Every structure is written in C-alpha cells, then in structure tokens.
Amino acid sequence: MGTILPASLTRDSAEPLAALQAIDVDLHHHIASWQDVAPYAPEGLRHRLARPGGPPLASHGFKIIGPRFGEAPCPTDANGKVGHPAADPAWVKAQYLDKCGVDIAILSGPVLSLGVQPNHDMAATIATAGNNWTLATWVRPFNCFKGSILVAHQDPAQAVAEIDRLGDDPGMVQVLMGSASEMPFGRRQFHPIYAACVRHGLPLALHIGGEGAGMSPPSTAVGHPTTHFEWYGSLPQVYMAHIMSMVTEGVFEKFPTLKIVLCEGGIFWLPHIMWRFDKNWKAQRSETPWVKQRPSTYILRHFYHTSYPLELSSQDELAEILEMVEGERTLLFSSNYPNWELGDPFTMIAEIPAALRRRVLVENALAVYGERLLRPHAC
Amino acid sequence: MGTILPASLTRDSAEPLAALQAIDVDLHHHIASWQDVAPYAPEGLRHRLARPGGPPLASHGFKIIGPRFGEAPCPTDANGKVGHPAADPAWVKAQYLDKCGVDIAILSGPVLSLGVQPNHDMAATIATAGNNWTLATWVRPFNCFKGSILVAHQDPAQAVAEIDRLGDDPGMVQVLMGSASEMPFGRRQFHPIYAACVRHGLPLALHIGGEGAGMSPPSTAVGHPTTHFEWYGSLPQVYMAHIMSMVTEGVFEKFPTLKIVLCEGGIFWLPHIMWRFDKNWKAQRSETPWVKQRPSTYILRHFYHTSYPLELSSQDELAEILEMVEGERTLLFSSNYPNWELGDPFTMIAEIPAALRRRVLVENALAVYGERLLRPHAC
C-alpha cells in the first residue's frame, strides 16, 4: 500500500517521516487538582473552579466497571501508593509514549460533558481554563504532546471566540467537542463553529462520554439505559445521529474542507449508516435539495475514526468492514490512554490487516492533521 | 442450502410446503374510516374512536417524501379516482398477493405509535378495537391474512390482558408493539408482556414509526431531527437501544424461547451491535452477572429481521453482511405493502444470494411462526 501523505509533508522531511512509529490521536490527560487549573481561568469564575472537588458539573451515574486502567502502566510513590497514570506529562512521556513507541499524542483531556452543562458561562470558562492549563503544563514543555481546543458548544458564540483565540497556536491541532448534546450537530446554530474550524484549518474531534448528563436527552432514543454496560455500548448511536444530521443539513456543502474525527466510537456501524442513508436519499432527497451527493460520499470524505476500541470480531470480518469504510484512509490509531479497560490498544492494531497498519499508526493522522502535527512548538 | 423447517411442519405437509412461494411478514392494512372500527371498541370509549378524523392521537411531523406508494398497485373507481391500496382485503388479495405470488401475509396495520400515546386507556382501547376489526374484516374472511395482536405497552397490565384475550385465536400469529417508547424494552415492567408471548407461543414483532410522537423522547440520543429524511434514516438506532437493553436486563435468560421480529429496520447495523457489545461484555460483565452468554449469542438466537428495506450496497457487501448476521436463518421477507416509497420489495430479494432466497421468502418465516401460519382459520 503506497503513501497517502501530501507532497507538502514529504518534500522536505521524507527521512524523519519514515522514522515515525505511531501517532496517538486520543490520549486522556488528567486534571489531578482543579486548584492547579483555576489560575488559568478568567477572573470572574475562577473561584468556582478552585472550590474543593472542582467546578460544579452535572454528571451521569455510569461508571466504568472493573479495573479502569486495564494493563496501562501506573506510577507508584515511595510508599507504594498508586497514582493516576495520566496526571504527570513527563511520566506519561517516559512510561507510555517512549516505551510504546508513540512519537506524538493528541490530548483530549478528562472533561467530555461541557456541551450539556446547564450553565454555559461556567462551561465556557472551564474550556478556556482547561485549554490554557493544557498548553502551559503539557504542550509547551513537550513537543510530543499536541493540544485540542476544547469548546462548550451550547453557546456557539463563546465556542467560536475560543477557537479564534487559540486557533493559530502551533501547539493546538484540533477543536474538541463532547458528542453529548441537546440537539444534533447539523443544526444551523452550530455552523459558525464549523466556519471557525475551517478558518483555522483545524479538524473537529468529537468524543463520547457526557451522554445522559446535564441537559442531554436520554442517552438512547427510547429513554435511559440502566447500566454502564448498556450505556457505553449504545454510545455509537450518538455518532450515527450527528452524522445523519450534519449530512442532512448540508454542513459539508457549506464547509467542503471540514474534517471530523469521531473518537472511541468503533467503525462497524458505519456501513449501515452509509447504505441505509443512500437508499433513503435516492427516494427522498427532494426534501433536502442541498444534499447533492450520496450521503456515503460525504461520510467517507469528511469523517475519520479511531482504533480504540475496535469491535470484537474475526480478523476476516474486521478486514471486510475496514474495506467497506475505506479504513486504509479513514482509521486513525488511538490509545484512549490510560483507560484500557477494554484491552491493549496495540493488540487492536495487530488485528487489522498488516498492509493497513502503517497507514493507521502514522500516515492517516498526518494526512488529516497535516504539517501542524510535526512542527515543533515547545518553548 | 437445506431446509430449516421443523419436523412438526414437514411431516404431514411436505407437498403443500413446497408449493409456497412467499410469506410476507409485514403488510400494512389500512383503516379507511375510524367509524368502521369504532363499533369494535369497548363501549366506554367508543365515541372517541367514532369522532370525525378518528381518535385523538399524538403524531410527529415527519411525513413520507414523494409518492408514498411507489410502484405498488392502486385501485381506481369508475370516475378514475385513486383509492388507498390497502383498504380493501379482497382487492389486496387479488391485486397484490395473488399477482405477486404471496401465499400468506401478516397484517401490521397503520397504528404504530400506540405505546407513546399519553392516554393509556385510550391507547389500549384503540388496540382492542383495531384487533377486533382486523379479525372480523380481514382475517376471518381470508385464510391468506394472519393477524397481529397489537398492544399499547405503556400499560403492561392491559397489554397482557389483550394478549391473553386473543393469544390462542388461530387467526393471530404474533404480538405487535410500536418500537417508540418512553423507556427501553429491557426494563422489568415489560417482562409480563414477554411472559404472555411465551405463554401463547407467539413471536413479538416490533415496528418503527411512532418515534418522536407523544411521550416518546427525542427520536435520536442527541435530540430532534429536522426532516423525514433524517428521522427515518435514524430509526434503526431505536432497535439497537432495545436490543442492548433486552440483552443487558437478562430478558432472554428469563424467556429463553422468546422470538422477536424487528420490522423495517434493515440489517447492516447488526454486526456492529453484536461485536461492540461482545467486546464490552468481556471486560464489563461483572455489572450484569445474569448475562451469561456473549451478547451476540442472544442476539442471533432471539432476533429476526425483515427484508424491506435492505440497505443499498453492492451484492458482494450485502452477501458479506448477510453471512455475519446469519441471514440464511434470521432474515424474513417483508413487503411493507403498500408503502413502497423506497422501491420494489421483490427487487430487494433479487439482490440477495440465490441460495438464500427460498429461506428468506418462505422457510425462515415458517421456522419463526410455526404451524400457526399454515393452519386454516377462516370462517
């Protein structure tokens, strides 16, 4: 399988590119103490972040079952006390990135329910403080860590302001929104956010996790699940709904260069969405005349997917599904570090066809994120 | 491909079985006038069914785009006025069943949002009246039509009473619930309905259509879609949520013989549900110790799917997906007559591998519904 890299990347840097082993597009760095983050917040709401236990955040009741970190490495102090495996950037670099052969990791952080928090000013403040803290403590000291501009989408104007504030920072490589939402992402009030992504040449990453919290509707279309097991398994439905909405509302006709990375959703549901949607479009497209292409054309052109967790199946079936979704181009390696409760992310890569692995580990991410991913930004 | 039929069916009737051409498990017979149905309602609420326009029913705003009936045959009167193609059983038998080579059709009717109607007594009354009217005017006069016991699941006690009232009627072959629901179908309050299905040896059919109406939550997990195109395309998410819920809550450990037919949902989303769910189960099953098998085992054993509409794809990809979901056993022919806005249901059958067609057209339905489907019931 040949290279997928744009000429702008390979012209001057063929040798360093060949040396890259893995790019991880989804590493959850951890806020050990909100009191460390609070000084990075705008003054007005700083005291709310600094309160014991952190800022007031609506949460759902679904918590990971069993050992949260699986086989991920964990630090222990002199007294044998186990610490959080994603709280210290130097430790994460040494014990995860360097040991596992990961060259670059994109930080997606621990706060994935901002977009369904009822207090939108508080949510925007948390986003700003978190972004500043991430830049100062993780990104600026280490070229291997790249930042995400986290935004709270329920107030699109504040989200756009945050993207414009940080969109040209060389340490930031994407915009990040939680997928939990009061309404699907095709709705027109969100379009200024997409315009801002395009204006700064930034992909938009969505991440599951806040579904069922705060202002979120029930996390399935028939109401509330009862267990984490049921809740977590149902989450790809959220991506399906957002994809249907964005295609239907003409987002990609309006923003033809917008790229969207769907984190932690798997891929096996994608053929269904493409083909059911194509069939309906053939018969029903008069309702949405601005949807000019088959829905699957937009979906394959604009959406990217991450490798943790890939659904459990046979290698043959995985290969068939990867072919259906053009995985050789659309699948990006993600570790979900340190949340390895579903297994080792490198084992998941070992299960995909050998010919695709380099693409998934390195090249697809470079093609999506471009030069920004390689440019040194540390100071 | 060999036969899948149980010995109890083939022992005495190998010859008539071989003559069968097609069994249609989803025909939408139409209520032309509620005033015809009202006399079949219990007296207390009869006047509410007889009002002009029919009983008060909450509805969503999503209406089929374009020609609703596609290429389905339509009756015209002496003045050239086009009538509804599913209002007259004799006409439907002559113009659809006999002409298309359909031997038996299961009636699923026009009212698919009963389970989200706020007035549960009204909903139960409509179910009872509709069932009586269907039996009297469609089923009793014609052996080719088999009835569904429609129930309103928001009041499980009334639903159970209706199943017990009609469950042994030889003209009834399944219980039918709209999939639109305030809560997912694994919840324990619904278990008495499943017990009643099992008690009478009846499969349970679910049918999409009421999503977003009445007491239904938004029809996606991130809120309301804006067009019929988006709404209709999203509906399989409802089946995914119900499957996750029923498996998670242990419905199939409690009711090991329960069979569920999912109407009009397609099949391409099923591998995703099976394999994501299996992966999560491996890591997280301590939360639901009563889920003793892999989720995919329950899903393949208990759920059946219908052929209208099959997602649009290549024949190779369709064959791959059919293999993944054991379509040679789990896929049943459905016409969705007369709503052919997405195409001709027989063309969809022509797209599946030739070796599977007889199974899908005839044998799988016989295996699911059993002898009841063949027994003459007319009087």
Side-chain angles (χ1 to χ4, degrees), chain A residues 221-294:
Chain A
V222 289
H224 299 276
T226 47
T227 57
H228 175 276
F229 178 48
E230 184 184 346
W231 171 82
Y232 184 75
S234 302
L235 294 182
Q237 294 164 34
V238 164
Y239 285 153
M240 298 177 210
H242 283 314
I243 290 177
M244 306 279 310
S245 172
M246 296 181 89
V247 171
T248 302
E249 300 270 9
V251 166
F252 304 110
E253 284 293 330
K254 210 161 158 185
F255 306 106
T257 60
L258 182 63
K259 297 171 186 172
I260 300 182
V261 179
L262 301 178
C263 298
E264 207 178 328
I267 55 167
F268 279 52
W269 46 271
L270 198 61
H272 150 66
I273 285 289
M274 295 194 297
W275 298 330
R276 181 172 173 96
F277 211 179
D278 277 2
K279 179 145 211 153
N280 300 352
W281 177 78
K282 273 188 74 174
Q284 305 179 345
R285 64 180 183 257
S286 65
E287 194 180 18
T288 53
W290 50 85
V291 182
K292 292 179 187 151
Q293 316 277 329
R294 285 186 175 213

Side-chain angles (χ1 to χ4, degrees), chain A residues 304-319:
Chain A
Y304 298 86
H305 310 275
T306 64
S307 63
Y308 185 99
L310 284 179
E311 290 86 342
L312 181 79
S313 176
S314 70
Q315 283 189 266
D316 283 351
E317 286 171 331
L318 177 55

Side-chain angles (χ1 to χ4, degrees), chain A residues 25-308:
Chain A
V25 302
D26 187 17
L27 187 158
H28 291 282
H29 65 311
H30 179 68
I31 295 172
S33 164
W34 279 95
Q35 282 162 8
D36 297 339
V37 180
Y40 296 96
E43 207 180 329
L45 284 169
R46 194 177 293 162
H47 66 291
R48 300 281 279 157
L49 269 68
R51 65 188 271 284
L57 286 172
S59 71
H60 53 65
F62 303 109
K63 300 292 173 200
I64 286 180
I65 315 308
R68 176 183 186 116
F69 303 128
E71 301 292 311
C74 282
T76 43
D77 69 11
N79 302 320
K81 199 185 154 209
V82 178
H84 194 286
D88 173 1
W91 192 91
V92 172
K93 179 181 184 309
Q95 299 301 317
Y96 162 55
L97 271 72
D98 294 351
K99 285 206 173 153
C100 294
V102 174
D103 304 284
I104 299 162
I106 301 177
L107 304 172
S108 42
V111 189
L112 299 167
S113 63
L114 279 188
V116 287
Q117 297 300 328
N119 184 333
H120 50 130
D121 290 324
M122 176 67 72
T125 297
I126 292 168
T128 294
N131 291 334
N132 290 342
W133 171 81
T134 296
L135 273 175
T137 60
W138 284 74
V139 175
R140 297 265 183 263
F142 299 94
N143 275 318
C144 61
F145 294 124
K146 299 288 179 180
S148 305
I149 303 172
L150 178 66
V151 299
H153 60 260
Q154 70 275 59
D155 186 342
Q158 292 200 71
V160 167
E162 185 69 0
I163 298 169
D164 282 335
R165 183 175 79 88
L166 294 173
D168 296 325
D169 189 296
M172 292 301 202
V173 299
Q174 67 181 6
V175 172
L176 174 64
M177 308 199 307
S179 52
S181 180
E182 283 179 284
M183 62 193 94
F185 285 158
R187 292 287 182 83
R188 306 216 176 124
Q189 56 266 50
F190 298 124
H191 293 201
I193 294 177
Y194 311 140
C197 291
V198 167
R199 188 158 64 240
H200 296 282
L202 293 168
L204 171 65
L206 305 183
H207 203 298
I208 54 172
E211 281 75 8
M215 304 186 296
S216 169
S219 61
T220 87
V222 289
H224 299 276
T226 47
T227 57
H228 175 276
F229 178 48
E230 184 184 346
W231 171 82
Y232 184 75
S234 302
L235 294 182
Q237 294 164 34
V238 164
Y239 285 153
M240 298 177 210
H242 283 314
I243 290 177
M244 306 279 310
S245 172
M246 296 181 89
V247 171
T248 302
E249 300 270 9
V251 166
F252 304 110
E253 284 293 330
K254 210 161 158 185
F255 306 106
T257 60
L258 182 63
K259 297 171 186 172
I260 300 182
V261 179
L262 301 178
C263 298
E264 207 178 328
I267 55 167
F268 279 52
W269 46 271
L270 198 61
H272 150 66
I273 285 289
M274 295 194 297
W275 298 330
R276 181 172 173 96
F277 211 179
D278 277 2
K279 179 145 211 153
N280 300 352
W281 177 78
K282 273 188 74 174
Q284 305 179 345
R285 64 180 183 257
S286 65
E287 194 180 18
T288 53
W290 50 85
V291 182
K292 292 179 187 151
Q293 316 277 329
R294 285 186 175 213
S296 62
T297 304
Y298 296 107
I299 292 170
L300 288 171
R301 190 183 293 154
H302 293 278
F303 288 94
Y304 298 86
H305 310 275
T306 64
S307 63
Y308 185 99

Side-chain angles (χ1 to χ4, degrees), chain A residues 65 183-184 187 222 224 226 228-230 232 249 268 275 279 283 286-287 310 312 317 320 324, chain B residues 65 183-184 187 222 224 226 228-230 245 249 268 275-276 279 286-287 310 312 317 320 324 341:
Chain A
I65 315 308
M183 62 193 94
R187 292 287 182 83
V222 289
H224 299 276
T226 47
H228 175 276
F229 178 48
E230 184 184 346
Y232 184 75
E249 300 270 9
F268 279 52
W275 298 330
K279 179 145 211 153
S286 65
E287 194 180 18
L310 284 179
L312 181 79
E317 286 171 331
E320 284 169 7
M324 294 175 193
Chain B
I65 315 307
M183 61 193 94
R187 292 287 183 84
V222 290
H224 299 276
T226 47
H228 176 276
F229 178 48
E230 183 183 346
S245 171
E249 300 269 9
F268 280 52
W275 298 331
R276 180 173 174 96
K279 179 147 213 150
S286 65
E287 195 180 16
L310 284 178
L312 181 79
E317 287 171 331
E320 284 168 8
M324 294 175 193
E341 77 279 8

